[in-house]
Amino acid sequence: MTIQETCLIIVWYLATQCYLRELSSLFARSVTSVWQAITRVCNILAFIGVKDFIRWPGPSEVGDIALSFESSVKTGLPVPGIIDAIDGCHVKIKAPESDQISYLNRKMFHSIIIIAVCLPNKLFS
């Protein structure tokens, strides 16, 4: 599988939260190949080099980030002193057999919640 195809699979999977079976059909790959590609990329993102890419702003960066947030406001009044934006979403999952109720959300499907903190340039902080 090419790097480009692996990237397309992982982006599609993370963006649409579709089943592996759907991805394997869409990309004409086995379910096992799709799962291995997703697992490989997620492991790389989670464990290798994350500290170099995802971090809290340092004291010397806070002022520039706050100004960047203020200048990026399209409508309304800017709020001074903002250095990060936070948001979350539900990611649909297949719940474990032993504890399904713990993963049931208010819309009555099983999910986990991902929360992200971003800078004004839309990079994770």
Side-chain angles (χ1 to χ4, degrees):
M1 187 178 306
T2 66
I3 292 173
Q4 181 181 7
E5 192 174 13
T6 301
C7 289
L8 290 172
I9 287 171
I10 190 72
V11 167
W12 193 283
Y13 177 72
L14 294 174
T16 65
Q17 305 165 17
C18 69
Y19 293 106
L20 296 177
R21 187 178 50 234
E22 294 174 55
L23 278 173
S24 75
S25 176
L26 182 65
F27 288 94
R29 294 289 181 171
S30 70
V31 172
T32 302
S33 295
V34 168
W35 175 247
Q36 288 173 344
I38 291 168
T39 303
R40 190 178 316 116
V41 172
C42 287
N43 283 336
I44 290 169
L45 292 174
F47 300 110
I48 300 175
V50 170
K51 67 183 178 302
D52 297 329
F53 300 103
I54 301 175
R55 61 182 179 75
W56 292 112
S60 62
E61 301 167 292
V62 170
D64 292 337
I65 292 170
L67 287 174
S68 184
F69 263 115
E70 278 188 59
S71 66
S72 68
V73 174
K74 303 272 189 271
T75 60
L77 298 172
V79 179
I82 294 174
I83 59 167
D84 284 310
I86 188 169
D87 198 4
C89 70
H90 285 268
V91 176
K92 195 173 192 177
I93 63 164
K94 181 180 176 189
E97 291 293 326
S98 62
D99 194 20
Q100 291 192 7
I101 194 72
S102 293
Y103 296 90
L104 195 62
N105 66 28
R106 64 184 174 81
K107 294 190 176 186
M108 303 311 291
F109 67 88
H110 296 102
S111 67
I112 58 172
I113 298 172
I114 293 180
I115 297 180
V117 181
C118 296
L119 297 167
N121 58 2
K122 299 177 185 170
L123 295 176
F124 292 118
S125 61

